[in-house]
Amino acid sequence: MRSSFWRRIRWHPPQGTASPGTRSATTWRMLVTQGPGPLVLALVMIAGIVIAGLVVPTTQHLASLMAVVPATTAALAGPRLTTVIAGLSCVAAFALDAHDGLLNTSIPAVHLAEITLISAFVIASRSIRDRSVRELTEVRIVSDTIQRVLLRPLPPHIGQLRIRATYHASHPHAQIGGDLYAVAKSAAGVRILIGDVRGKGLPAIEDAEALLGAFRAGARRTRSLTELMAELEFSVRSHFEEAGLSDADAVERFITALLLEVPDEGDMVRVVNCGHPPPYLAHGTDTLLLAPAVPSPPLGLNSLSSDDYEVDTFSFSRRATLLLYTDGAIEARDSDGRFYDLGARVAAWPGSQPEDLLRHVLDGLSRHVGGGGTMELDDDIALIAVQYGDDLPAPGAAPAAEALAGGRTSFSGPDARAVPRRGTGPG
């Protein structure tokens, strides 16, 4: 399934970078299709045919060429303008037949009938097409609104964090699919959820909505991450049981999920991972994979007791950047069947801003699976980059003390694996 990658994720090249050939083609297209362009083009075509008919010998009858004018106009303009052009084409064809001395024959009637029938056909086709486009536009507006409500844009700043996110749905006409993310500010700190529903595209949206609704309802009031994960498990399992009443395959569904909490009182991050790919933490010359010490099963297959979940704690420096992702980013294959090495790509990141990290990862992904700005993906992809904001107070310290904290931060955490910046990431 192919789609325009950059259009779908809304990354656009800077203005002025288009090649001269591209700018020229765009200019001509706009001149012909916008504003008075279709009318001017039609009049030029009529004038050209009339002039040619007056120049060639009268034995060469060009009036039948007028049928091309309304057909061309219908491709560029609506039914009303096409009807006007069809009338002008009939008048011009009659004038050419009169110039050729054909008024006493049946040829003018044949020419007029030809133009009329072709015009009627293209006008009817254009009317049907315009009606279909209007209906599709209305459906897309409703669909886009529903999708924006379901997967709300993440705030650029929340608490002391800067957050950037991007989403690429595998379905060509969807903005979201089976991947999901959300963020909430609780008394314990900022909580971020990222997950991946079993399946892909539009059929998985229902399951994503169930988990997102449960997170938004419980993230602010639940005291601990383990309790919150147990609540999410209960909500997801209840959703699957209800869905199983009408869908026998619902019992086989599950959702991988990762809960991440950045407390307000310290430079650390807490993670509860239920079968989801672990995040990367990039800092200086090091990149860490924050793997869980005791992995938990995905939601829908897990425990309802908060005691059965493990919380892993990792250091999170103010100059470090967290990258959360779904498995579509690590399971994307190139033409030779090789997986995208996300770890190596993150390790080679030379930047410092979270949006630069997303762009760096997406550039590499685009080249890996398709190149040329086109991607062929069989799964949804969600990416989130998180770091402390430079213009926000340091956690647990006065703003003035931040200028003194210039030393290198050591990283720790269960099973955290270091990846050399220019080496090969974990497979």
Side-chain angles (χ1 to χ4, degrees):
M1 184 179 301
R2 301 188 70 86
S3 59
S4 175
F5 175 61
W6 297 116
R7 184 180 70 250
R8 297 289 304 283
I9 64 170
R10 292 173 174 82
W11 287 110
H12 300 287
Q15 295 182 357
T17 59
S19 63
T22 302
R23 291 196 298 268
S24 177
T26 302
T27 301
W28 279 106
R29 190 180 302 115
M30 293 175 60
L31 287 175
V32 172
T33 60
Q34 297 184 5
L39 174 61
V40 173
L41 178 62
L43 294 178
V44 170
M45 292 178 66
I46 292 174
I49 295 174
V50 170
I51 293 173
L54 296 177
V55 172
V56 301
T58 56
T59 55
Q60 304 296 324
H61 311 309
L62 302 184
S64 60
L65 293 179
M66 288 295 175
V68 177
V69 182
T72 303
T73 305
L76 304 175
R80 292 184 180 179
L81 180 58
T82 303
T83 302
V84 172
I85 296 302
L88 293 177
S89 299
C90 288
V91 173
F94 186 82
L96 285 178
D97 286 338
H99 172 266
D100 294 340
L102 302 175
L103 296 184
N104 294 327
T105 67
S106 61
I107 295 179
V110 173
H111 288 165
L112 293 179
E114 177 186 3
I115 297 173
T116 301
L117 290 175
I118 293 177
S119 298
F121 175 78
V122 297
I123 289 171
S125 299
R126 180 71 193 211
S127 299
I128 295 173
R129 176 184 178 275
D130 288 351
R131 187 184 307 115
S132 299
V133 169
R134 287 194 298 270
E135 293 176 355
L136 179 60
T137 301
E138 293 173 358
V139 171
R140 288 296 302 272
I141 291 174
V142 175
S143 175
D144 291 348
T145 301
I146 294 174
Q147 293 181 88
R148 284 195 300 271
V149 171
L150 175 59
L151 194 67
R152 302 170 187 168
L154 298 186
H157 294 85
I158 182 168
Q160 301 172 15
L161 302 179
R162 293 202 306 156
I163 301 179
R164 300 293 185 269
T166 187
Y167 197 106
H168 177 71
S170 61
H171 195 283
H173 300 297
Q175 293 182 1
I176 63 173
D179 291 358
L180 57 98
Y181 52 69
V183 62
K185 182 69 171 68
S186 70
V190 177
R191 289 174 172 175
I192 302 174
L193 168 70
I194 187 168
D196 187 357
V197 176
R198 179 180 181 269
K200 59 187 178 182
L202 296 178
I205 293 180
E206 180 183 359
D207 296 346
E209 187 276 335
L211 179 56
L212 286 171
F215 174 80
R216 290 165 181 158
R220 292 174 176 82
R221 61 178 173 82
T222 307
R223 297 181 61 182
S224 69
L225 280 187
T226 55
E227 292 173 341
L228 177 57
M229 190 63 87
E231 284 194 16
L232 297 183
E233 169 65 24
F234 176 79
S235 298
V236 168
R237 188 179 299 185
S238 300
H239 164 71
F240 288 157
E241 291 175 355
E242 294 177 0
L245 299 177
S246 57
D247 183 4
D249 294 333
V251 295
E252 300 179 359
R253 298 181 187 175
F254 60 84
I255 305 175
T256 67
L258 184 143
L259 272 177
L260 183 146
E261 179 181 83
V262 182
D264 295 331
E265 69 276 4
D267 53 352
M268 69 179 68
V269 59
R270 304 187 185 107
V271 181
V272 177
N273 194 329
C274 292
H276 197 80
Y280 283 99
L281 191 148
H283 181 272
T285 59
D286 296 321
T287 298
L288 303 180
L289 183 67
L290 306 187
V294 181
S296 298
L299 298 180
L301 308 173
N302 217 318
S303 172
L304 297 178
S305 172
S306 61
D307 296 334
D308 294 332
Y309 295 93
E310 296 289 337
V311 178
D312 297 292
T313 302
F314 305 92
S315 296
F316 183 29
S317 165
R318 288 187 63 84
R319 288 172 175 79
T321 303
L322 276 167
L323 178 67
L324 288 70
Y325 56 94
T326 56
D327 59 7
I330 56 177
E331 295 179 355
R333 298 173 182 261
D334 62 10
S335 58
D336 297 326
R338 294 172 298 185
F339 291 109
Y340 180 54
D341 195 342
L342 179 61
R345 187 66 180 176
V346 175
W349 176 48
S352 60
Q353 302 302 316
E355 55 268 27
D356 294 337
L357 176 57
L358 294 184
R359 191 182 300 273
H360 176 76
V361 170
L362 292 170
D363 283 341
L365 184 60
S366 177
R367 288 194 295 268
H368 180 77
V369 301
T374 302
M375 292 188 68
E376 184 175 352
L377 295 173
D378 294 327
D379 201 358
D380 308 313
I381 292 178
L383 299 171
I384 305 175
V386 182
Q387 69 177 205
Y388 285 111
D390 295 334
D391 53 343
L392 300 173
E402 175 63 18
L404 302 177
R408 177 173 172 142
T409 303
S410 61
F411 297 93
S412 62
D415 289 347
R417 289 183 284 169
V419 182
R421 281 295 277 194
R422 291 178 175 81
T424 301

